[in-house]
Amino acid sequence: MCGIVAYVGDKQAAPILIKGLKRLEYRGYDSAGIAILDKEKNIKTYKKAGKVAALEAMLEGADAEGNIGIGHTRWATHGEPNDVNAHPHFGQNKTLSLVHNGIIENYASIKVQLQMRGHVFESQTDTEVLIHLIEEIYLNEKVAFDEAVRLALNQVHGAYAIVVISKLDPEMIVAARKGSPLVVGIGVNEFFMASDASPIIEYTKSVVYLNDSEMAIIQNRTLSIKTIANENKTAFVQELDLQLEMIEKGGYEHFMLKEIYEQPRSIFDSMRGRIDSKTGHIHMGGLHEHQHKLMNAKRIIIVACGTSWHAGLVAEYLFEDFARIPVEVEYASEFRYRDPVIFHDDIVIAISQSGETADTLAAIELAKSKGATVLGVCNVVGSSIPRATHSGAYTHAGPEIGVASTKAFTAQVTVLAEMALWVGFKKGAISQSQLNTYLYELEQIPSKVEKALLCNDIVKQIAAVYKDARNFLYLGRGYNFPVALEGALKLKEISYIHAEGYPAAEMKHGPIALIDAEMPVVIIATQNSQYDKVLSNIQEVKARKGKIISVVTEGDIEVEKLSDYVIEVPDTLEPFMPLVSTIPLQLLSYHIAVMRGCNVDQPRNLAKSVTVE
Ligand code: G6P
């Protein structure tokens, strides 16, 4: 969490930083700030609690001239979200200024030592301690600016992406990362730095993704890279395959709505070049070199957080059905802190939209240390998880900016279905003709999702009726059980209504006690092997006067008779139903949140990329 951005070049830095911070706001929006180094070597700092828009208003008419600057949008960890705790932070003598994404775990002991040497701190942040330490080394030990940063980083534990500027050394800007992401953009006689590429792409497509424990030093408009252990590195420059329109709202009121409507396209993109039902061919480039291990795997462990964990639950069904391999799905945060039994022949699959989630990254390192083969399913190209895993597959859903994940979820499920089919076919668990049938149906999914999106109007009506409900229950069985969990999570995240997802059959072991005439119950009751059982569950809700909102296969009449509201979606094969049945639930949470006046794209307390544990 937290987004950082920096600029050095011939342009005015402030407008570039503000625009960049707006693009990074999904990472945190508790406060925002910039520091500009001007021609007279003054560092001018502007920072404010609240969104970037508040900072922007503060800058109107202010003197923010200068060609070098750093900026930050905060998701508070240490210290409440107020003006003082906002970044950038100064050192004791206000010589250096720094922005930071991450947590300095040993900040308290360093702070005490610094206080004993006379340092006075303005904020409660761990970040201010780090810049005091860097500045003290810089001024007392009379080392070069970048060397002072390096020496200080050798004393801290934790996670960080930082950028530092100095008024004594205006031709140098120093950045470093460990655990939190940082990208350097290389323009013509100008450089950009940011937590992801979105603030950079309108200026340049040439970027360098810093690796963990690396520093980027820009001196006299030249970039050099070294490690925190002082080893020189060669910059690996990549060309970004990202267009500006991919990160703009494109006429939609919210990113979330745009991303919901992008799903026919993003699902298609996640299959592009991988499957062809006409030839019966499935190609998963990243899995090829691990074919033998995958075919012989006795177990797959899936690690993920949040929505990605729900995609993992769908994958459990997919791998067991298609490949007959037992699967365990773990919250990365739980997995990493126990002593899990991991065997050399285990396959671990880490799922992550951002590719940066700290707990998922730590789970990967743990699995690798125990000898497992670790595959990643990630959306953000070049992020940390694809680089930490042995191999994997990108979801190619394009940038997802709304904090509530939508198109990333369906792309994850699609890619996991492809992986499961690939392994199942390679090991002979499914035949060529079965594979052909599945591939053909997968190819139909984008148009079926397009059709499912036609439910928007009825969903909006339902939202208007239930927007003031205090609780929601979501029920599903089999492949639709993870969909119920995901539907409930979406509602909680963006509308702040309490919602629970449950396997429909488990309802009678607890949640049924909650049902009364006030309780909307969303039941995913599409035609599948458990349809009759779900019908019985609907009866059980109805008998207790619960309000029934059903998601059904088009043409269904049985469920309709029992429901207060019915939402139809196209039929598909049971394993692929989550791709279709999740659509109305995304729209339901969206419309309820809008009607309740909630900030859909930036829900309170949440951040899209969770780089703290
Ligand atoms: C945060 C986001 C969720 C996301 C989860 C896991 O909580 O708000 O939308 O599902 O992190 O993120 P990842 O990037 O690893 O999929």
Side-chain angles (χ1 to χ4, degrees):
M1 10 264 280
C2 299
I4 62 177
V5 61
Y7 175 77
V8 52
D10 296 325
K11 300 189 179 92
Q12 284 300 316
I16 293 172
L17 298 180
I18 293 293
K19 208 172 194 187
L21 289 179
K22 285 188 174 164
R23 299 234 169 98
L24 292 174
E25 218 169 4
Y26 72 87
R27 301 178 67 86
Y29 27 84
D30 290 334
S31 64
I34 59 168
I36 306 286
L37 184 59
D38 68 14
K39 291 218 160 58
E40 284 74 47
K41 300 185 185 176
N42 298 311
I43 296 178
K44 296 174 289 204
T45 302
Y46 299 92
K47 49 190 196 172
K48 185 128 195 69
K51 303 238 158 92
V52 178
L55 173 68
E56 196 177 22
M58 184 185 191
L59 284 170
E60 263 171 44
D63 168 22
E65 295 245 322
N67 308 113
I68 299 177
I70 53 178
H72 187 270
T73 180
R74 180 167 185 245
W75 188 86
T77 57
H78 293 67
E80 65 177 85
N82 57 25
D83 293 357
V84 176
N85 287 331
H87 300 212
H89 287 286
F90 273 124
Q92 174 83 358
N93 292 301
K94 299 199 173 358
T95 304
L96 304 184
S97 179
L98 162 141
V99 286
H100 168 218
N101 162 211
I103 291 181
I104 304 302
E105 286 167 2
N106 58 337
Y107 83 100
S109 58
I110 297 173
K111 187 172 185 175
V112 171
Q113 290 163 25
L114 289 167
Q115 279 167 330
M116 286 187 328
R117 296 199 287 269
H119 286 250
V120 178
F121 294 91
E122 291 174 4
S123 76
Q124 289 119 36
T125 63
D126 51 332
T127 303
E128 195 186 4
V129 175
L130 176 59
I131 191 61
H132 273 240
L133 178 66
I134 297 172
E135 196 190 77
E136 186 185 74
I137 295 171
Y138 182 40
L139 298 178
N140 288 359
E141 298 187 17
K142 308 240 175 323
V143 289
F145 173 29
D146 58 321
E147 182 62 1
V149 174
R150 195 185 73 77
L151 291 173
L153 291 178
N154 274 291
Q155 295 185 36
V156 302
H157 310 307
Y160 50 78
I162 57 165
V163 189
V164 199
I165 54 172
S166 162
K167 63 185 201 181
L168 295 184
D169 210 336
E171 286 308 318
M172 187 183 272
I173 181 161
V174 182
R177 72 154 281 190
K178 187 174 163 225
S180 303
L182 198 64
V183 191
V184 182
I186 305 169
V188 179
N189 208 26
E190 61 182 358
F191 291 87
F192 306 81
M193 292 173 174
S195 300
D196 72 26
S198 62
I200 298 174
I201 54 165
E202 75 185 88
Y203 310 103
T204 176
K205 295 270 161 56
S206 302
V207 297
V208 176
Y209 286 95
L210 278 198
N211 289 313
D212 252 356
S213 301
E214 281 184 354
M215 299 171 62
I217 299 140
I218 294 159
Q219 186 172 23
N220 300 321
R221 310 284 169 94
T222 307
L223 170 69
S224 61
I225 303 211
K226 63 164 130 175
T227 66
I228 290 160
N230 213 11
E231 191 190 336
N232 289 327
K233 290 274 173 178
T234 308
F236 174 54
V237 183
Q238 301 182 45
E239 288 301 302
L240 284 173
D241 181 21
L242 198 62
Q243 312 306 325
L244 193 56
E245 59 270 21
M246 290 162 103
I247 56 165
E248 291 183 332
K249 280 192 201 150
Y252 285 90
E253 204 183 329
H254 297 99
F255 280 111
M256 183 183 177
L257 192 62
K258 177 187 175 226
E259 288 155 7
I260 290 173
Y261 274 89
E262 274 175 351
Q263 289 176 106
R265 174 80 205 185
S266 52
I267 292 172
F268 176 79
D269 286 344
S270 63
M271 299 189 286
R272 195 206 298 266
R274 288 178 173 154
I275 65 168
D276 184 352
S277 69
K278 288 190 200 73
T279 57
H281 196 67
I282 180 159
H283 172 76
M284 299 300 290
L287 305 191
H288 208 73
E289 59 175 307
H290 302 287
Q291 179 169 334
H292 185 72
K293 279 190 174 159
L294 277 158
M295 282 168 58
N296 294 298
K298 298 206 178 48
R299 179 172 71 154
I300 292 173
I301 303 171
I302 294 178
V303 291
C305 304
T307 290
S308 298
W309 185 78
H310 294 156
L313 289 182
V314 179
E316 176 178 6
Y317 292 76
L318 290 166
F319 275 99
E320 295 194 353
D321 274 354
F322 294 155
R324 306 306 298 148
I325 302 172
V327 178
E328 288 167 24
V329 189
E330 300 261 6
Y331 285 116
S333 53
E334 289 297 315
F335 180 80
R336 61 174 291 197
Y337 281 118
R338 45 190 182 80
D339 187 13
V341 179
I342 304 171
F343 301 110
H344 276 81
D345 53 0
D346 279 338
I347 302 287
V348 172
I349 302 179
I351 308 171
S352 174
Q353 187 288 127
S354 63
E356 299 294 347
T357 302
D359 284 321
T360 310
L361 262 169
I364 291 167
E365 294 307 336
L366 177 66
K368 282 198 328 198
S369 74
K370 300 210 174 191
T373 302
V374 187
L375 306 175
V377 173
C378 292
N379 195 37
V380 178
V381 176
S383 54
S384 300
I385 291 177
R387 288 186 289 153
T389 45
H390 293 114
S391 186
Y394 279 116
T395 46
H396 297 305
E400 189 181 66
I401 293 166
V403 167
S405 184
T406 52
K407 66 172 180 172
F409 173 71
T410 46
Q412 286 165 344
V413 171
T414 308
V415 167
L416 289 158
E418 291 162 351
M419 288 169 78
L421 285 170
W422 186 88
V423 181
F425 180 60
K426 293 282 177 204
K427 66 179 278 193
I430 53 170
S431 66
Q432 180 71 61
S433 84
Q434 284 172 309
L435 178 67
N436 293 356
T437 308
Y438 289 127
L439 295 184
Y440 177 80
E441 190 54 26
L442 260 185
E443 286 171 348
Q444 309 313 306
I445 295 294
S447 62
K448 292 191 174 181
V449 168
E450 190 101 55
K451 231 171 148 194
L453 286 163
L454 297 175
C455 72
N456 189 50
D457 287 347
I458 174 77
V459 170
K460 219 168 163 176
Q461 287 170 33
I462 299 169
V465 175
Y466 294 109
K467 67 178 178 20
D468 297 318
R470 298 190 56 197
N471 299 289
F472 263 76
L473 191 57
Y474 285 72
L475 301 175
R477 293 179 87 119
Y479 278 97
N480 282 328
F481 160 51
V483 175
L485 292 179
E486 176 59 10
L489 178 64
K490 288 286 87 82
L491 190 71
K492 280 184 277 205
E493 281 179 314
I494 59 169
S495 73
Y496 320 137
I497 297 175
H498 170 250
E500 273 193 54
Y502 239 77
E506 271 293 304
M507 173 187 64
K508 55 187 165 299
H509 300 294
I512 199 163
L514 300 170
I515 296 174
D516 60 16
E518 304 295 306
M519 174 70 105
V521 183
V522 179
I523 305 185
I524 307 128
T526 50
Q527 291 278 357
N528 61 25
S529 54
Q530 301 188 45
Y531 177 72
D532 291 339
K533 307 272 178 221
V534 178
L535 268 179
S536 309
N537 299 137
I538 295 175
Q539 297 278 17
E540 290 156 12
V541 175
K542 199 168 174 62
R544 280 136 190 109
K545 300 193 169 44
K547 298 286 177 275
I548 298 166
I549 304 160
S550 314
V551 176
V552 299
T553 312
E554 56 192 352
D556 188 297
I557 40 175
E558 291 303 312
V559 177
E560 190 175 1
K561 284 187 230 155
L562 301 170
S563 306
D564 294 271
Y565 292 93
V566 166
I567 306 166
E568 291 195 342
V569 293
D571 197 13
T572 181
L573 295 176
E574 197 168 336
F576 306 141
M577 187 45 94
L579 294 167
V580 178
S581 59
T582 201
I583 303 295
L585 307 192
Q586 296 171 345
L587 286 168
L588 183 64
S589 63
Y590 171 78
H591 288 300
I592 290 179
V594 170
M595 287 172 192
R596 288 166 67 91
C598 300
N599 188 333
V600 170
D601 285 332
Q602 294 170 353
R604 71 183 179 207
N605 305 338
L606 296 179
K608 186 138 193 79
S609 180
V610 182
T611 52
V612 295
E613 295 171 10

